[in-house]
Amino acid sequence: MKTKILSTNLESTNYEQVFSDILTFLNQKNDSAYITVNNVHTVVEGVVNAKYGEILNNSFQTLPDGRPLSIVASWKGDKQMQRVFGPTLMEKIIDWGQGHNIKHFFWGSTESTLDKMETVIKKKYPKAVIAGTKSPPFRELSVKENQEFLEKMNTSGADIVWIGLGAPKQELWMSEHFKKLEKGIMIGIGAGFDYLAGNTSHAPDWMKKYALEWFYRLIQEPGRLWKRYLVTNTLFIVYLILEFLHIKKFNN
């Protein structure tokens, strides 16, 4: 089941079902796919940029990361949609994947963050298989560089390639390159690497419950995030009002 929020068709799912679907894909298909993990920012971006909206909707799974999305889904009659928070999803898949020999490749962020994250994984999930890690340059990559990175991913034998470039960059990159994987699933995880490495802390449970995690992150990184949250949160509310009043219809 999917519920459309503005122009994005979001999965009505939960952590266990996502993991089950990934296992089924990996076991039955010698193929590649990508998964997007979505919040208010990406949903609004999907309205503003139609091409980006198509990328979200064409993914193997379009997951509802932000708590406001599951709240809006409930207003629309979907009581089953649960929030699938990207960093938590990544940890659960790493954990549950230990019993299935799932191989993970981590691509993005900085070498320092990747090193910290690898240390945490080895301590918390000793049977997890890390097929490889790589921090790409913080600039537009050449065709040759992309080809070299994809070759590393393929050579590693990874089942899941975690992409930590941040939205919308990671979704654009995945949609352009996922078919070049010999097998496996790319998952755009945003700040997931920073959470697992300990660079970013989780919001208190009460803030998560009341959809205030964005505010907690804003407090931690005001210089980088204030504009995103000011603009996207405002647009999200405005677009929902326009849709509710039947003034504007959002299609993709």
Side-chain angles (χ1 to χ4, degrees), residues 123-165:
K123 183 177 181 180
K124 292 181 69 174
Y125 314 109
K127 294 183 180 179
V129 182
I130 300 176
T133 64
K134 188 64 181 177
S135 172
F138 285 79
R139 55 169 170 76
E140 186 173 350
L141 301 175
S142 68
V143 172
K144 182 180 179 181
E145 286 174 323
N146 279 320
Q147 183 178 341
E148 289 174 350
F149 287 130
L150 288 159
E151 285 177 358
K152 288 182 183 295
M153 295 171 189
N154 283 323
T155 302
S156 74
D159 300 297
I160 299 177
V161 179
W162 300 95
I163 309 292
L165 301 179

Side-chain angles (χ1 to χ4, degrees), residues 10 13 26 49 70 75 134 140 144 159-160 174 176-177 179 198 208 217 225 231 235 238:
L10 294 161
T13 189
L26 294 176
N49 184 335
S70 57
W75 293 345
K134 188 64 181 177
E140 186 173 350
K144 182 180 179 181
D159 300 297
I160 299 177
M174 290 192 300
E176 183 178 352
H177 298 288
K179 290 182 179 178
K208 292 181 180 180
R217 284 203 65 199
L225 296 175
V231 174
L235 282 175
V238 170

Side-chain angles (χ1 to χ4, degrees), residues 15 65 83-96 125 162 189 192 195-196 202 208 213:
Y15 295 109
D65 171 287
R83 182 191 187 196
V84 180
F85 182 47
T88 300
L89 175 68
M90 185 170 73
E91 285 209 53
K92 286 183 179 294
I93 290 178
I94 292 171
D95 183 12
W96 297 339
Y125 314 109
W162 300 95
I189 204 62
Y195 276 100
L196 189 49
H202 286 272
K208 292 181 180 180
E213 188 160 20

Side-chain angles (χ1 to χ4, degrees), residues 38-228:
N38 300 274
N39 52 26
V40 167
H41 175 218
T42 62
V43 169
V44 169
E45 188 69 26
V47 173
V48 175
N49 184 335
K51 177 184 175 183
Y52 184 72
E54 290 177 4
I55 289 171
L56 300 183
N57 287 329
N58 289 336
S59 60
F60 172 61
Q61 290 196 334
T62 309
L63 302 178
D65 171 287
R67 173 66 175 146
L69 301 180
S70 57
I71 292 174
V72 173
S74 180
W75 293 345
K76 286 174 171 275
D78 181 356
K79 306 298 183 182
Q80 303 303 313
M81 183 183 291
Q82 296 182 25
R83 182 191 187 196
V84 180
F85 182 47
T88 300
L89 175 68
M90 185 170 73
E91 285 209 53
K92 286 183 179 294
I93 290 178
I94 292 171
D95 183 12
W96 297 339
Q98 293 180 104
H100 299 272
N101 198 38
I102 290 180
K103 301 177 181 65
H104 305 271
F105 194 105
F106 301 92
W107 192 69
S109 193
T110 64
E111 291 293 349
S112 173
T113 295
L114 291 173
D115 288 343
K116 290 180 187 176
M117 187 173 64
E118 188 167 356
T119 299
V120 172
I121 292 172
K122 288 179 177 178
K123 183 177 181 180
K124 292 181 69 174
Y125 314 109
K127 294 183 180 179
V129 182
I130 300 176
T133 64
K134 188 64 181 177
S135 172
F138 285 79
R139 55 169 170 76
E140 186 173 350
L141 301 175
S142 68
V143 172
K144 182 180 179 181
E145 286 174 323
N146 279 320
Q147 183 178 341
E148 289 174 350
F149 287 130
L150 288 159
E151 285 177 358
K152 288 182 183 295
M153 295 171 189
N154 283 323
T155 302
S156 74
D159 300 297
I160 299 177
V161 179
W162 300 95
I163 309 292
L165 301 179
K169 185 177 180 180
Q170 64 195 12
E171 290 78 26
L172 294 168
W173 193 90
M174 290 192 300
S175 69
E176 183 178 352
H177 298 288
F178 81 96
K179 290 182 179 178
K180 297 167 189 172
L181 277 185
E182 294 173 359
K183 69 177 183 71
I185 298 177
M186 291 181 176
I187 304 179
I189 204 62
F193 293 2
D194 284 313
Y195 276 100
L196 189 49
N199 298 339
T200 301
S201 60
H202 286 272
D205 289 341
W206 71 267
M207 294 189 83
K208 292 181 180 180
K209 179 180 179 181
Y210 292 104
L212 289 172
E213 188 160 20
W214 65 271
F215 183 67
Y216 188 79
R217 284 203 65 199
L218 178 61
I219 293 172
Q220 293 184 84
E221 300 181 78
R224 186 175 73 86
L225 296 175
W226 75 268
K227 188 174 182 180
R228 175 200 293 183

